[in-house]
Amino acid sequence: METSTRRERQRAATVAEIKAAARKLLVEGGVPAVGLRAVARELGLSAPALYRYFDSHEALISALVADLYDELTEALIALRDSDPEADLGGQLFLIAGGLRDWALAHPAEFGLLFGAPVPNPLAEDHELTPGHQAAMRFGAVFKDLVAKVYRQQPFAHPPDEALGPELIAQLTQKSEYFDGMPAGAIYLSLTYWTRLYGLICMEVFGQLHWALDDAGAYFQAQLFEIGEALGLNCPLPE
């Protein structure tokens, strides 16, 4: 038993070293730099030795993605819970700002996480990889907060006839994932999520310099506007 436990610890330590090396290469050269042979060279291992821990490039990337998503999720939860007196608006402000801060501090990691598609979390015929499972945990931080807002005080949203039957059908399929929210409320939640996410992406990838020297104030103003639309008491922009 002791030998088995020692081997498990040694294997876990080696896996951690491999993922750390992969992240280093990601930061230095982007996703194309994270190859199995490159990681092996970084650690002084042979490529066949690395295959004993990750049998494919996809498996290594999925494991790295899982770690990064969990790192981000833990940071956001810690921020959300850092102020016991924060109401829902304050919590939204904290986690949205935390996502922006993490993205700006880790642009290469952000690019890896949000540059790949996430499968349908309700698809029964798709076995989610560790990376995608971690993505679902990350998404739940925002999704669960918005669902909680809607349960406590339903916010106004577009009626079904304003969205059309095709969109309503698609959104209704995801109602379970959004804790039973109606299609219009899901639509509005997605609208505001893509608004914030798109703004963060544009800032991280240098697409806002032509208009803003520092997008922080603009981000806060956008977040305040979204909070008001959801009936939340978000902090005023500074």
Side-chain angles (χ1 to χ4, degrees), residues 120-122 169-181 186:
N120 180 357
L122 301 180
Q170 293 185 60
L171 295 173
T172 301
Q173 285 184 324
K174 301 299 187 294
S175 180
E176 178 185 349
Y177 182 63
F178 284 87
D179 200 27
M181 288 168 56
I186 297 173

Side-chain angles (χ1 to χ4, degrees), residues 119-128 176:
N120 180 357
L122 301 180
E124 296 179 358
D125 60 346
H126 187 92
E127 184 178 353
L128 297 179
E176 178 185 349

Side-chain angles (χ1 to χ4, degrees), residues 150-167:
Y150 191 80
R151 285 197 305 270
Q152 289 192 4
Q153 183 178 334
F155 45 81
H157 56 76
D160 287 2
E161 55 268 24
L163 301 178
E166 181 179 347
L167 179 56

Side-chain angles (χ1 to χ4, degrees), residues 83-237:
D83 183 358
E85 298 182 0
D87 58 13
L88 295 179
Q91 291 178 24
L92 177 62
F93 192 86
L94 286 170
I95 62 174
L99 174 59
R100 174 178 175 266
D101 290 343
W102 191 91
L104 292 173
H106 305 91
E109 292 93 329
F110 179 81
L112 174 62
L113 295 186
F114 295 96
V118 176
N120 180 357
L122 301 180
E124 296 179 358
D125 60 346
H126 187 92
E127 184 178 353
L128 297 179
T129 65
H132 287 137
Q133 290 173 335
M136 294 300 102
R137 291 192 290 272
F138 160 76
V141 177
F142 287 89
K143 174 184 65 67
D144 291 350
L145 180 59
V146 173
K148 188 175 182 180
V149 170
Y150 191 80
R151 285 197 305 270
Q152 289 192 4
Q153 183 178 334
F155 45 81
H157 56 76
D160 287 2
E161 55 268 24
L163 301 178
E166 181 179 347
L167 179 56
I168 290 297
Q170 293 185 60
L171 295 173
T172 301
Q173 285 184 324
K174 301 299 187 294
S175 180
E176 178 185 349
Y177 182 63
F178 284 87
D179 200 27
M181 288 168 56
I186 297 173
Y187 166 83
L188 202 63
S189 302
L190 288 175
T191 298
Y192 290 145
W193 165 247
T194 55
R195 185 168 160 184
L196 288 179
Y197 166 67
L199 176 54
I200 292 172
C201 284
M202 291 187 71
E203 185 178 9
V204 169
F205 300 126
Q207 298 296 321
L208 285 175
H209 294 319
W210 63 274
L212 299 167
D213 294 329
D214 181 358
Y218 182 67
F219 182 84
Q220 288 191 9
Q222 289 283 301
L223 187 54
F224 177 77
E225 187 176 313
I226 291 171
E228 278 205 316
L230 296 177
L232 299 173
N233 182 30
C234 281
L236 286 167

Side-chain angles (χ1 to χ4, degrees), residues 37-62:
R37 292 185 180 277
V39 173
R41 285 195 300 270
E42 187 75 19
L43 294 173
L45 298 174
S46 66
L50 198 63
Y51 276 100
R52 292 202 297 267
Y53 300 93
F54 294 98
D55 60 8
S56 68
H57 178 258
E58 290 75 16
L60 173 58
I61 292 297
S62 182

